Amino acid sequence: MNDKFVVVGRLERPDQTVTKNVPWYKEHPVVAEMMLVILFSGCFLGIPFLPKDPTFMDILKYGIAPGKEFFFGTDTMGRDIFSMIWYGGRVSLSIGMLATVISTAIAIVVGAVSGLAGEKADTLIMRLTEILLAIPNLLMVIFLQAILGKPNPITISVVIGVTSWMSMAKVVRTEVRQLRNSEYILAARMMGGNFFYVLWHHLTPNFISSIMFMVVMQVRSAIVAESTLSFMGIGLPLEIISWGSMLSLSEKALLSGNWWIIVFPGVFLVGTLLCITEVGNYIRKRVSVGDSML
């Protein structure tokens, strides 16, 4: 009983790690991706194949319920809603993508300038960004749109883009501050590389994955903003067909009992937003997994 234990070796245990080969279609949001492909293809490539002219107003056929001739019925001005959805989807999606390009470009430049600048300049830029972030986005959009005058797809895209870059800029600034002392960044600057050269060739490839989720979600936010403005009557006019301008007829649709005027555009809008959200969440998870493996 008094004998001491003697360690003579270590028992090697077999590796218990099991690598599961998960099929690719279980990781990807396949349904959302397929729906977006169909939607983009129909909106941008299917316009010549529409059964009716989406801009033609036939007053004699206004308010017709869905049927064989008009799949989704007609609106209060006699326009075919089925054709309008695909035609107007091109406008709404274009506004979302153009506004996202503008806001992303501003966010990258401002965030990179703040990240590479000294402490005082960085603090000043971030405080200004936070002040703009504290102002309700809708108020800034309305104010800028009033300055620009009569709305059109370009002005709406510009207004939404220049009022929605602040959150992304803060993320870019954080990423740049982590990268700015890297050897390849210092070497590029010492060899005469200017700000935009370093930003394009060295900084952006390293932080683009971190903001890709925000970029995708910005498309969704821009589409929602355009629809909200049109629904409130301060967005695109009725003659410019978009999902938002179609939803602006909701009051007349509800009063007249023509439910299809608001239901079908609303289903397409909500379905598109849900699909974009699914793709954005997938990108966020992939970025999170990549960061945890580093």
Side-chain angles (χ1 to χ4, degrees), residues 17 21 25 54 58 66 81 98 118 122 138 146 149 151 155 158 176 178 189 194-195 201 223 226 229 241 272 283 287:
T17 305
N21 294 324
Y25 56 84
D58 191 350
I81 294 179
L98 180 57
D122 174 44
L138 185 59
T155 59
V158 172
V176 170
Q178 294 177 353
R189 298 177 68 179
N194 58 26
F195 169 77
H201 289 88
I223 295 175
E226 182 273 323
L229 291 175
I241 301 174
T272 302
I283 294 174
V287 172

Side-chain angles (χ1 to χ4, degrees), residues 27-29 209 279-293:
E27 294 182 350
H28 285 256
S209 60
V279 175
N281 287 331
Y282 168 75
I283 294 174
R284 177 178 56 82
K285 292 178 182 178
R286 295 289 296 179
V287 172
S288 300
V289 171
D291 292 340
S292 63
M293 294 178 63

Side-chain angles (χ1 to χ4, degrees), residues 11-60:
L11 178 63
E12 296 290 341
R13 297 191 174 209
D15 188 5
Q16 303 266 335
T17 305
V18 179
T19 303
K20 295 182 179 180
N21 294 324
V22 181
W24 66 270
Y25 56 84
K26 289 188 177 181
E27 294 182 350
H28 285 256
V30 179
V31 176
E33 292 173 346
M34 291 180 60
M35 292 297 294
L36 288 178
V37 169
I38 294 173
L39 191 68
F40 274 79
S41 300
C43 291
F44 290 95
L45 302 178
I47 302 301
F49 306 101
L50 294 178
K52 303 286 184 179
D53 182 0
T55 61
F56 179 69
M57 301 180 186
D58 191 350
I59 306 300
L60 297 178

Side-chain angles (χ1 to χ4, degrees), residues 18-289:
V18 179
T19 303
K20 295 182 179 180
N21 294 324
V22 181
W24 66 270
Y25 56 84
K26 289 188 177 181
E27 294 182 350
H28 285 256
V30 179
V31 176
E33 292 173 346
M34 291 180 60
M35 292 297 294
L36 288 178
V37 169
I38 294 173
L39 191 68
F40 274 79
S41 300
C43 291
F44 290 95
L45 302 178
I47 302 301
F49 306 101
L50 294 178
K52 303 286 184 179
D53 182 0
T55 61
F56 179 69
M57 301 180 186
D58 191 350
I59 306 300
L60 297 178
K61 295 182 179 180
Y62 76 93
I64 297 179
K68 293 183 179 179
E69 182 179 2
F70 301 100
F71 300 141
F72 291 168
T74 61
D75 66 354
T76 55
M77 291 178 281
R79 298 177 295 183
D80 179 34
I81 294 179
F82 178 80
S83 301
M84 291 176 65
I85 285 177
W86 296 105
Y87 185 86
R90 180 177 62 174
V91 176
S92 295
L93 294 174
S94 298
I95 290 175
M97 291 186 292
L98 180 57
T100 301
V101 170
I102 295 173
S103 62
T104 303
I106 297 175
I108 290 176
V109 173
V110 174
V113 169
S114 180
L116 294 175
E119 183 177 354
K120 292 184 179 180
D122 174 44
T123 302
L124 176 61
I125 294 174
M126 283 297 101
R127 293 299 84 78
L128 292 175
T129 301
E130 291 171 359
I131 291 173
L132 293 175
L133 195 60
I135 302 174
N137 186 263
L138 185 59
L139 292 180
M140 289 197 295
V141 170
I142 295 175
F143 175 73
L144 293 178
Q145 187 58 62
I147 294 176
L148 295 177
K150 186 177 181 180
N152 59 63
I154 301 298
T155 59
I156 289 287
S157 301
V158 172
V159 167
I160 295 174
V162 299
T163 57
S164 56
W165 53 268
M166 288 76 76
S167 297
M168 195 184 303
K170 292 175 70 68
V171 176
V172 172
R173 176 253 184 191
T174 302
E175 295 291 331
V176 170
R177 289 188 70 84
Q178 294 177 353
L179 296 170
R180 65 178 185 175
N181 292 326
S182 301
E183 294 181 355
Y184 58 92
I185 301 294
L186 297 176
R189 298 177 68 179
M190 291 177 64
M191 295 175 66
N194 58 26
F195 169 77
F196 289 102
Y197 177 86
V198 175
L199 175 63
W200 179 255
H201 289 88
H202 298 290
L203 292 175
T204 303
N206 285 282
F207 66 68
I208 191 64
S209 60
S210 300
I211 65 171
M212 188 55 64
F213 164 72
M214 302 184 71
V215 172
V216 173
M217 299 305 288
Q218 182 59 35
V219 177
R220 186 196 69 168
S221 300
I223 295 175
V224 172
E226 182 273 323
S227 301
T228 303
L229 291 175
S230 298
F231 179 78
M232 296 174 62
I234 54 178
L236 296 176
L238 290 178
E239 59 267 20
I240 301 178
I241 301 174
S242 70
W243 289 341
S245 63
M246 294 176 69
L247 291 175
S248 65
L249 300 173
S250 59
E251 182 180 356
K252 296 180 180 178
L254 295 175
L255 292 176
S256 61
N258 298 336
W259 54 267
W260 54 88
I261 296 178
I262 185 174
V263 168
F264 290 114
V267 168
F268 270 76
L269 176 61
V270 173
T272 302
L273 299 181
L274 289 176
C275 291
I276 294 175
T277 302
E278 284 294 315
V279 175
N281 287 331
Y282 168 75
I283 294 174
R284 177 178 56 82
K285 292 178 182 178
R286 295 289 296 179
V287 172
S288 300
V289 171

